[in-house]
Amino acid sequence: MSGAVDLSSLKQPPAGATGGDYAVGEADFETKVLRRSMQVPVVVALYSQRSPGSVELVRTLERLVAADGGTWELATVEAEANMRIAQALRVQGIPTVIAIAAGQPLADFEGAQPEPQVRQWLDAVVDAVAGKLEGGAGQPQAAEDPRFTAAEDALERGDLAGAEAAYEAILAAEPNNEEAKGALRQLRFLARAQQIPDSALAAADQDPANVDAAIDAADLELLNQQPEAAFDRLIAVVKRTAGDDRTKARTRLLELFELFDQAEPFVVAARRKLAAALY
């Protein structure tokens, strides 16, 4: 799921929203869901305040997580306020509940469910990851690395430059720190892509021979959670160009691939298309 959620957005759930201490927004999704799921499964409940059934489902989950003593954690996400999360998780309806373990979706269900069925589903999730994660109830959790905490705090303030500097400092001390490398790639992409005007898509479509315009349009498509469209655009440039133009498009495409888990089906498919375009 690396790169699936736009860390630049700082929208938080509305004041008074259902979720209380369990509420998660785009700014803290990586920390509270993806990273935390390395220790225990995190159950993400996407709901709407306008849907009584989904609000009641959240209440049910709140009761169950309080009773289960840390064997799993709950993250409640108000869908309307956090559309990027809903898009990244490919949510089709509200409410949707997704269990995340080791940074990956494990199981899910859609629609309001009675408490006994929710209980059974949760027990199956906990059983499925038993002994496979780093933490769990009664086990000490790994201490937060203060260097990463500083970077995440900068992100929450909207200080991309400060977060970038924090990750660069980690890499200066540990050049092979993969977590810092990945975060830095994400931040540099965001800093670049956020400067591209919405008109870039139309400009690229009107001038297909303009490689720079195509590269900007691909960045914008990726920022808008359309990775397949971004990849296809650059692969098309690779197919019809040669020399420096082809190298420029291919280099940017490879950079975009690195923003994702390389096992993602759409990344695997795009790499195959790129190979066909090149050879």
Side-chain angles (χ1 to χ4, degrees):
M1 298 183 67
S2 172
V5 178
D6 179 3
L7 300 181
S8 68
S9 175
L10 300 179
K11 287 187 293 185
Q12 297 294 330
T18 299
D21 292 340
Y22 304 109
V24 171
E26 293 171 15
D28 54 4
F29 188 85
E30 181 181 12
T31 302
K32 292 186 176 180
V33 176
L34 299 183
R35 292 185 64 185
R36 182 59 178 139
S37 74
M38 300 297 175
Q39 281 82 45
V40 293
V42 179
V43 173
V44 180
L46 294 106
Y47 72 100
S48 169
Q49 288 283 353
R50 297 180 294 174
S51 167
S54 67
V55 171
E56 181 54 37
L57 178 59
V58 168
R59 299 298 189 203
T60 296
L61 290 166
E62 289 175 338
R63 289 195 299 272
L64 293 173
V65 73
D68 280 0
T71 56
W72 58 281
E73 291 197 3
L74 175 63
T76 60
V77 177
E78 180 143 18
E80 289 94 338
N82 297 280
M83 289 304 296
R84 289 186 188 274
I85 295 177
Q87 291 168 359
L89 294 176
R90 294 175 171 79
V91 171
Q92 300 297 315
I94 297 297
T96 289
V97 176
I98 304 172
I100 307 291
Q104 298 292 330
L106 174 67
D108 63 82
F109 68 83
E110 181 180 326
Q113 303 289 335
E115 185 165 331
Q117 287 184 234
V118 177
R119 171 81 277 167
Q120 184 177 15
W121 182 84
L122 289 168
D123 290 344
V125 167
V126 173
D127 288 345
V129 300
K132 299 177 182 178
L133 300 177
E134 297 172 11
Q139 296 186 31
Q141 303 302 318
E144 287 285 337
D145 187 325
R147 302 172 302 171
F148 283 95
T149 301
E152 290 155 10
D153 288 346
L155 275 176
E156 292 189 11
R157 296 193 303 270
D159 180 7
L160 293 185
E164 182 174 352
Y167 287 123
E168 286 175 340
I170 294 172
L171 287 172
E174 299 177 29
N176 295 320
N177 190 306
E178 293 300 325
E179 185 176 357
K181 285 182 182 178
L184 198 53
R185 283 195 292 265
Q186 296 280 343
L187 284 173
R188 286 174 174 168
F189 166 76
L190 290 171
R192 179 180 77 230
Q194 287 175 339
Q195 303 304 313
I196 299 171
D198 291 340
S199 59
L201 289 173
D205 291 340
Q206 290 169 6
D207 186 6
N210 188 327
V211 175
D212 289 333
I215 287 173
D216 282 349
D219 275 359
L220 191 58
E221 285 171 325
L222 191 55
L223 186 66
N224 292 333
Q225 302 295 317
Q226 298 175 300
E228 294 96 334
F231 296 164
D232 286 346
R233 183 182 293 276
L234 293 180
I235 290 167
V237 174
V238 170
K239 281 183 179 180
R240 65 175 181 261
T241 58
D244 291 343
D245 283 345
R246 171 179 271 204
T247 299
K248 184 185 296 185
R250 177 178 174 273
T251 299
R252 177 54 57 85
L253 181 57
L254 294 177
E255 289 175 3
L256 298 187
F257 286 161
E258 290 300 316
L259 298 174
F260 294 89
D261 182 337
Q262 297 305 292
E264 284 279 8
F266 59 84
V267 176
V268 173
R271 284 191 177 276
R272 288 174 180 162
K273 291 180 183 178
L274 174 60
L278 288 169
Y279 304 109

